[in-house]
Amino acid sequence: MGLTSNAVLAVAVSLAVALFTVTVWLWPRLAARSAGAVAGRIGLLLATQLLVFVSVGLLANHSFLFYGSWDDLWGRQQELGTVVDHGAGTGATGGVVRTGAQRPDVPGGSRPATVGRIDKVVVAGRASGIDSPAYVYLPPEYFQPEYARRTFPAVVVLTGYPGTAENLIKGLRYPRTAQERVRAGASQPMVLVMLRPTVAPPRDTECVDVPGGPRTETFFAEDLPRAVSRTYRVGDRARNWGVMGNSTGGYCALKLGLHHPDRFAASAGLSAYYKAAEDPTTGDLFHGDDAARRRADLLWSLDHRAPADSSFLVTTSLKGEGNLRATRQFIDRVKAPARVSSIVLDSGGHNFNTWRREIPGALEWMSGRLSAE
């Protein structure tokens, strides 16, 4: 049983509950002052607390995927990184080099034409000079004969900070959810390009072109769509591309959609904030450039730039989220011809469980605003 499986979590919780019940049942028998009784009480208390601690740890890891496997947990995951040369070859020409592939965690078999495929890639940014790992989910239709001459819409999917791209696959289940929505007839098949916004780790660049530093906005707005369109059967127009993410990834998604309507027709921010963070993780993003700082404030941008024909989706909760007020301000400031939609939960925190409740609707919304051709 894998570290992140539901079965491991269920076993740990069941054992903790069972041992707690045994402790309560046996406690009267161990009430004596003998050495054996005292040792029994100490043993039961320690064992119960240990199992409760393990259960809580497994639950936290199940939600946030700090460790992906037992080998990762015990430090036995020592696979070295793969060096990718970008000087020649089809992949390098397009800016995307495939370094591996895996089967999506969806029912239906193992053939790509049935369940799709997830490519592990490195995207080489020509304009930005940034190279970043990513995962590209190709839906089953991509491999089916009747779609052989068809292009597909693509959605860039971003994690929060610091985040890992694997969280989008295992924790937030984007490929699985996307396929479920297609099978339900609620969405068209789309290519998902999944990565974290931290393309210059460990620095959080807030998707800003930092003066003298990482040109992160250029990477996402120019390099990434161009490279993917040249490598896969994905359109290269704004109506073919969307971008979405959670937390920092949500801020980046809305920012990219707002400032680059010529590249992204739709953008969705799940639990997004609306102004670039500036803290020890970001360093000096703007180097005293107040115009750049104002541009990174999405509410300021909505008030001071001409609206474009773009679509925005924002999400929040009436209880549990800190962005409710700012989200309402964002909605109020979007002007035609731009359009804005929202998902407002009754309650939900800044966590995976909340985002998993929003992702199906967000993917359906995105599908309705993108074109395959």
Side-chain angles (χ1 to χ4, degrees):
M1 294 185 291
L3 176 62
T4 59
S5 70
N6 291 328
V8 168
L9 180 60
V11 168
V13 172
S14 298
L15 288 175
V17 172
L19 191 54
F20 175 79
T21 303
V22 169
T23 300
V24 173
W25 181 261
L26 293 179
W27 198 259
R29 302 183 185 183
L30 298 173
R33 297 183 178 180
S34 65
V38 172
R41 293 198 299 270
I42 293 174
L44 285 174
L45 288 174
L46 289 177
T48 301
Q49 290 183 7
L50 177 61
L51 279 174
V52 169
F53 176 79
V54 169
S55 299
V56 172
L58 286 171
L59 180 61
N61 190 66
H62 191 271
S63 298
F64 297 103
L65 287 177
F66 300 115
Y67 300 97
S69 66
W70 294 108
D71 285 341
D72 190 16
L73 175 64
W74 301 118
R76 295 195 297 263
Q77 186 63 269
Q78 300 295 332
E79 179 183 357
L80 299 179
T82 303
V83 176
V84 178
D85 294 322
H86 301 284
T90 303
T93 301
V96 175
V97 177
R98 186 159 70 102
T99 61
Q102 65 188 62
R103 175 189 176 279
D105 180 23
V106 297
S110 58
R111 295 175 58 248
T114 304
V115 297
R117 189 180 76 197
I118 298 175
D119 286 353
K120 186 176 183 179
V121 304
V122 174
V123 180
R126 297 289 182 83
S128 65
I130 292 173
D131 290 0
S132 177
Y135 290 93
V136 178
Y137 164 70
L138 304 172
E141 291 80 4
Y142 191 91
F143 303 96
Q144 296 171 3
E146 56 267 37
Y147 290 87
R149 297 183 179 276
R150 176 180 169 178
T151 59
F152 290 80
V155 182
V156 177
V157 184
L158 301 173
T159 69
Y161 174 84
T164 63
E166 290 85 353
N167 283 344
L168 299 169
I169 300 171
K170 297 179 179 180
L172 294 178
R173 302 193 289 263
Y174 269 96
R176 185 186 185 98
T177 305
Q179 190 169 141
E180 289 173 350
R181 305 325 299 150
V182 172
R183 288 179 174 176
S187 173
Q188 63 176 317
M190 300 181 291
V191 171
L192 305 181
V193 185
M194 299 171 287
L195 68 168
R196 60 181 186 168
T198 314
V199 293
R203 187 177 188 182
D204 174 13
T205 59
E206 296 288 297
C207 295
V208 167
D209 278 354
V210 181
R215 300 182 63 198
T216 311
E217 184 171 351
T218 297
F219 174 81
F220 283 113
E222 298 182 24
D223 291 332
L224 183 61
R226 182 182 298 115
V228 172
S229 294
R230 289 178 177 176
T231 306
Y232 297 98
R233 298 200 314 275
V234 170
D236 59 2
R237 299 183 180 183
R239 65 174 181 261
N240 308 131
W241 280 87
V243 55
M244 64 187 297
N246 58 272
S247 191
T248 299
Y251 163 75
C252 285
L254 295 174
K255 176 185 176 182
L256 291 167
L258 180 60
H259 292 303
H260 301 276
D262 58 329
R263 173 50 63 194
F264 300 104
S267 55
L270 311 184
S271 300
Y273 50 88
Y274 301 93
K275 183 179 180 180
E278 294 183 75
D279 56 36
T281 68
T282 66
D284 188 355
L285 292 176
F286 304 108
H287 293 265
D289 188 339
D290 289 335
R293 180 177 284 105
R294 289 192 297 270
R295 181 180 180 275
D297 183 335
L298 305 188
L299 300 181
W300 185 93
S301 293
L302 286 171
D303 287 339
H304 291 86
R305 62 178 290 124
D309 188 13
S310 302
S311 295
F312 302 99
L313 172 68
V314 290
T315 78
T316 188
S317 302
L318 297 178
K319 295 181 180 179
E321 282 278 21
N323 72 337
L324 177 60
R325 180 181 177 184
T327 297
R328 287 172 171 168
Q329 291 175 335
F330 184 92
I331 293 171
D332 290 341
R333 297 186 189 193
V334 173
K335 305 178 184 68
R339 296 162 298 279
V340 62
S341 306
S342 67
I343 296 174
V344 181
L345 302 178
D346 288 337
S347 65
H350 200 80
N351 55 51
F352 278 29
N353 182 59
T354 296
W355 300 326
R356 281 193 290 260
R357 296 160 61 197
E358 297 167 342
I359 288 170
L363 285 173
E364 292 179 22
W365 176 90
M366 187 71 69
S367 170
R369 283 150 183 81
L370 300 183
S371 171
E373 302 298 334

